[in-house]
Amino acid sequence: MKIAIAQLNPTIGDLQGNSQQILQAATQAAAQGIDLMLTPELSLCGYPPRDLLLRPSFIEAMSWQLQQLAQKLPPAVAVLVGTVETHTLAHTTGGKSLYNSIALLFNGKIQQYFHKRLLPTYDVFDENRYFEPSYVSNYFNLGELGIPSHPEVSPPIRIGVTICEDLWNDEEFWGKRQYPTNPIANLVEEGADIIINLSASPYSMGKQKLREAMLNHVAVRYHKPIIYANQVGGNDDLIFDGYSVAFNGVGERVALAAGFQPDLVAVEFDEKSRELRPLSLNGGAIAPVTPPPAKPLSQPEEIWSALVLGVRDYTRKCGFSKVVIGLSGGIDSSLVAAIASEAIGPENVLGVLMSSPHTSQQSVIDALELAENLGMKTYSLPIADLMAGYDNTLEDLFADSPRDVTEENLQARIRGNLLMAISNKFGYLLISTGNKSEMAVGYCTLYGDMNGGLAAISDVPKTQVYAICQWLNSREPGKIVIPESVLSKPPSAELKPGQIDQDSLPPYDILDDILDRLIHKHESIPQIVAAGYDPALVQRVVKLLNGAEFKRRQAPPGLKVTDRAFGTGWRMPIAAKVPQIPLSRE
C-alpha cells in the first residue's frame, strides 16, 4: 500500500482554492500509483477557521465543495480530507453542532467520516467553542473500498485515524495526561496496524524536535508505524512549518517533508511485515529510497524561515502585492526590511526615511546602505516642519508644562501618520517593526510606530533580533546585508538628543531574560530575584509589562514564533490589579 502525504498551504475560507490544491496533489499522487493520500487537518477550509464556523452558509458551502471534490478526484486514489461534519443530535442531546472531521473520499463518493476526539483549549486553540468531541475510535480498512491495485488482504490492514491533538496525550511521554483518554492507545487496543495523524500544528521555536521525539516515542511504545501530515503556511498570526514525517514501528524516521513550503512525500506499507518503508516520487515512477538525514536549521535560520513565510502569506492572502516600512537605520527596521524583501521581492518593498532634527547622519547612511544591499526603493520625508507645526498648535495649551515624552511620542505619531497615508494612497501593507522586548514593556508609541497591518517581529526579543541579523550577514560569504554600523551602535529611538534605549530600559540581555522568566516560565518576583536580579529592577519590569497591556491589545497582528506570544493566545486583562508574591513573607 503506497501512501502519500500532501503537505498543503490552504487559505482560510477559500473552499474552491483549497479544493483545487487537494485535487492537484491527488492527481499527481494517482499518476505515481499512490493508493491513499493524506491531507492536513481542516484542509478544505484551512486552519483555524475560527468564527467562520458559526455561519451556517459557510458550513453548507463546505459540504457542497466536499461533494464536488469527491466527484473530481482520480478514481484510483483514496483521499483523506480535513473538513467539518454536522453533529445531528446536538439539538436533542446537547453539545456543539459540529465535529472537526476527516472525510474519506474514494470513487466519487464520501465513504466515511472520522471525528476528532481531543479538543485543545489552550494558547491559540479554542476548539471547544466550535466542536463536539468524539468518543469513538477512528479506523478503516483500505482494501474494503475495492481499489483494484489493492485487493483485500488477510488479515485486513486496519488504519487508525487521529486528528492533531489526538496524538498529544501520551502519559509516558509527557508525564501526565491532559485528557482522560488516549486515542492512540485505544486504536492499538482495537487492532490498528498503522496510525495516521492529520494535523494543523502551529510553529514555535524548536517544535519540530519536540514533535519528532513524541512521534518516535509513540511508535516505539506501541510498535506501530505512524504517519504525521502537517499544514504549512501563514494564516494571520500563526505560522505552520510543515515537516510532515513518518516513523516505522521501531522509531526510525522513513520520510520527512520540507519545512516552510508545500511538499508531497510518500511511504509504502508492507502488508506482510506491517511496516513502513520510504518511497521516492520521481517523474511519475515510485522507487524505494533511503531518506537522507535532515540537517536541522540553526535557531536564527529557523526563525528567519518562519518569518519570511509568515510575511509572504499574510501579504498574499490579504490581497497585497507591495509593502511599506519606516526605515530608521536601526536594527529592527533593518531586519523587517530584509524579511519583507526575501518574502515578496525587494522591488515590492518601499522604505520611508523620516528624519527629524534628532536623527543622526549615521542612521540615514545606515538606512540607505541597507536599502542598497537589499535592492529596495526608498523615499525621504523629513518631519522637522511637521514637528514645528504640532508645537505651534499646542503651544498655548502646553505653555505651563515642560517638554517631556509627549513631544517624543508626537514624532512617532507623525511618522505613523505619514506611513498610513502612503498605505492608504497606494494600497501598500504597512509592516510595523517593533520587537517583543519593546512590546512587552510598552517601549513603543500607540498610533505611532505601532501603526500597521502586520507586526513582523513582535514575538522576537531584541537579543534574538541581533542573532538573526548576525546569521543573515554570515549566510553568504562576502555578502553583508545588515550594515555593520547597525549591529555595533547602541540602539536608540532618536527622539531627543543623545538618547539611547538604555536610558529607559535595562540592557537587553538582562531585560530579555527577566521577560522570558515572566512570560514563558511564569516565574514570580521572588523566583527571579533568587536568580540574581535586583528586586527593584524586577518589580519595575513587572510594572511595565502589566501597564502596557492596553497598548498590546491595540497592536496589529504579530507573527507567532515562540510558545507564548502577544497574540490570540495571550488573554491578559487590561483593567486589573495583578497581585504579586511579596519578597519577604515575614
Side-chain angles (χ1 to χ4, degrees):
M1 179 172 61
K2 298 177 176 63
I3 304 172
I5 306 171
Q7 182 171 284
L8 305 175
N9 184 350
T11 297
I12 292 175
D14 184 8
L15 302 176
Q16 184 174 358
N18 299 337
S19 179
Q20 187 63 28
Q21 283 192 47
I22 296 168
L23 178 59
Q24 289 174 350
T27 301
Q28 181 182 351
Q32 303 190 62
I34 295 295
D35 299 305
L36 175 66
M37 188 182 84
L38 318 182
T39 69
E41 177 183 15
L42 293 181
S43 53
L44 187 57
C45 64
Y47 189 95
R50 296 194 169 119
D51 279 8
L52 286 176
L53 296 171
L54 302 180
R55 300 180 180 178
S57 60
F58 183 68
I59 304 305
E60 292 172 9
M62 200 186 319
S63 176
W64 182 86
Q65 190 68 56
L66 184 68
Q67 295 174 34
Q68 294 299 303
L69 176 61
Q71 295 171 19
K72 294 177 182 178
L73 288 170
V77 59
V79 180
L80 289 170
V81 175
T83 185
V84 301
E85 168 68 355
T86 301
H87 177 206
T88 56
L89 298 179
H91 66 289
T92 57
T93 62
K96 300 297 187 297
S97 61
L98 296 174
Y99 290 109
N100 182 337
S101 303
I102 298 295
L104 175 59
L105 309 184
F106 177 68
N107 199 24
K109 298 179 181 179
I110 301 170
Q111 302 284 343
Q112 197 170 347
Y113 282 100
F114 313 97
H115 306 315
K116 191 171 184 176
R117 301 188 62 187
L118 306 183
L119 303 179
T121 56
Y122 54 85
D123 192 33
V124 300
F125 305 108
D126 200 9
E127 293 199 19
N128 273 330
R129 178 180 175 91
Y130 311 104
F131 299 121
E132 181 72 8
S134 172
Y135 300 95
V136 178
S137 290
N138 299 310
Y139 54 83
F140 70 99
N141 175 16
L142 190 63
E144 292 176 351
L145 297 179
I147 298 178
S149 62
H150 187 78
E152 181 68 40
V153 296
S154 182
I157 300 170
R158 179 164 288 187
I159 302 170
V161 180
T162 59
I163 305 175
C164 205
E165 189 79 359
D166 294 344
L167 177 67
W168 293 72
N169 197 37
D170 187 279
E171 68 279 2
E172 282 192 5
F173 183 79
W174 298 106
K176 63 176 183 178
R177 279 190 180 183
Q178 289 280 92
Y179 310 87
T181 187
N182 182 347
I184 303 297
N186 294 159
L187 284 170
V188 173
E189 290 168 1
E190 296 189 32
D193 296 294
I194 181 173
I195 296 167
I196 59 178
N197 183 268
L198 279 61
S199 281
S201 177
Y203 166 79
S204 61
M205 285 185 286
K207 192 169 185 180
Q208 180 61 12
K209 183 177 180 181
L210 174 65
R211 290 192 198 110
E212 291 203 22
M214 178 183 65
L215 288 161
N216 169 271
H217 176 88
V218 170
V220 171
R221 178 182 179 183
Y222 296 110
H223 307 291
K224 300 293 181 183
I226 186 164
I227 306 176
Y228 169 85
N230 194 23
Q231 179 174 289
V232 71
N235 285 330
D236 291 354
D237 56 330
L238 301 183
I239 301 165
F240 297 86
D241 51 333
Y243 286 122
S244 301
V245 66
F247 286 85
N248 63 20
V250 295
E252 297 171 334
R253 191 177 67 194
V254 297
L256 179 65
F260 305 104
Q261 61 184 358
D263 202 358
L264 184 70
V265 296
V267 292
E268 184 172 38
F269 182 77
D270 184 84
E271 288 87 350
K272 294 182 180 179
S273 67
R274 293 315 207 240
E275 265 302 353
L276 285 183
R277 57 174 177 255
L279 288 172
S280 176
L281 301 175
N282 290 314
I286 299 180
V289 297
T290 300
K295 181 182 178 182
L297 303 180
S298 66
Q299 190 176 84
E301 184 178 6
E302 183 182 293
I303 299 172
W304 165 267
S305 300
L307 293 173
V308 168
L309 175 59
V311 169
R312 178 185 297 127
D313 273 4
Y314 189 90
T315 303
R316 175 179 62 88
K317 293 178 180 181
C318 290
F320 293 95
S321 59
K322 296 181 182 294
V323 304
V324 58
I325 297 167
L327 277 189
S328 68
I331 194 164
D332 296 322
S333 65
S334 297
L335 176 58
V336 172
I339 292 168
S341 295
E342 182 93 353
I344 65 171
E347 69 278 6
N348 297 312
V349 181
L350 174 64
V352 182
L353 284 70
M354 296 167 287
S355 59
S356 79
H358 308 307
T359 302
S360 68
Q361 185 60 33
Q362 186 60 52
S363 291
V364 175
I365 293 171
D366 290 340
L368 293 174
E369 182 181 342
L370 171 83
E372 184 177 357
N373 292 347
L374 294 172
M376 57 180 280
K377 303 172 185 176
T378 63
Y379 198 88
S380 181
L381 296 173
I383 67 169
D385 290 345
L386 294 171
M387 291 168 60
Y390 272 87
D391 288 343
N392 291 336
T393 299
L394 294 166
E395 183 176 10
D396 291 343
L397 183 61
F398 287 0
D400 296 328
S401 301
R403 295 180 71 86
D404 57 14
V405 70
T406 304
E407 284 74 19
E408 295 180 31
N409 286 338
L410 278 174
Q411 296 171 59
R413 292 186 173 119
I414 288 169
R415 290 174 171 135
N417 279 333
L418 293 175
L419 291 170
M420 282 306 304
I422 294 169
S423 174
N424 290 164
K425 181 63 70 175
F426 302 116
Y428 294 179
L429 171 66
L430 172 57
I431 302 181
S432 65
T433 61
N435 61 66
K436 188 172 190 174
S437 309
E438 296 169 346
M439 291 292 293
V441 298
Y443 194 66
C444 47
T445 303
L446 199 59
Y447 320 123
D449 57 320
M450 290 177 67
N451 280 3
L454 177 69
I457 59 170
S458 63
D459 198 29
V460 183
K462 188 78 165 189
T463 48
Q464 192 69 59
V465 170
Y466 277 96
I468 296 171
C469 288
Q470 289 163 349
W471 166 83
L472 191 58
N473 277 357
S474 66
R475 184 169 62 160
E476 295 183 35
K479 182 178 179 180
I480 298 298
V481 177
I482 310 297
E484 292 295 339
S485 173
V486 172
L487 291 165
S488 61
K489 66 185 178 185
S492 170
E494 293 191 327
L495 298 176
K496 62 181 181 180
Q499 182 184 43
I500 60 173
D501 289 3
Q502 287 189 29
D503 294 337
S504 305
L505 301 174
Y508 279 112
D509 57 342
I510 294 174
L511 176 62
D512 283 353
D513 188 56
I514 293 174
L515 290 173
D516 179 67
R517 292 172 181 274
L518 287 168
I519 295 169
H520 294 269
K521 299 175 183 176
H522 307 289
E523 292 184 4
S524 66
I525 291 177
Q527 288 174 310
I528 300 173
V529 169
Y533 289 107
D534 176 67
L537 174 61
V538 177
Q539 289 173 326
R540 177 168 166 252
V541 172
V542 169
K543 183 178 180 181
L544 290 171
L545 176 65
N546 294 338
E549 190 59 43
F550 79 102
K551 289 186 178 183
R552 291 190 291 270
R553 189 71 64 88
Q554 300 177 72
L559 298 176
K560 174 180 165 64
V561 297
T562 72
D563 59 2
R564 188 76 171 129
F566 298 132
T568 52
W570 180 269
R571 303 183 185 185
M572 289 295 181
I574 297 174
K577 185 175 182 179
V578 183
Q580 297 293 338
I581 299 174
L583 292 175
S584 173
R585 294 178 182 267
E586 297 177 2

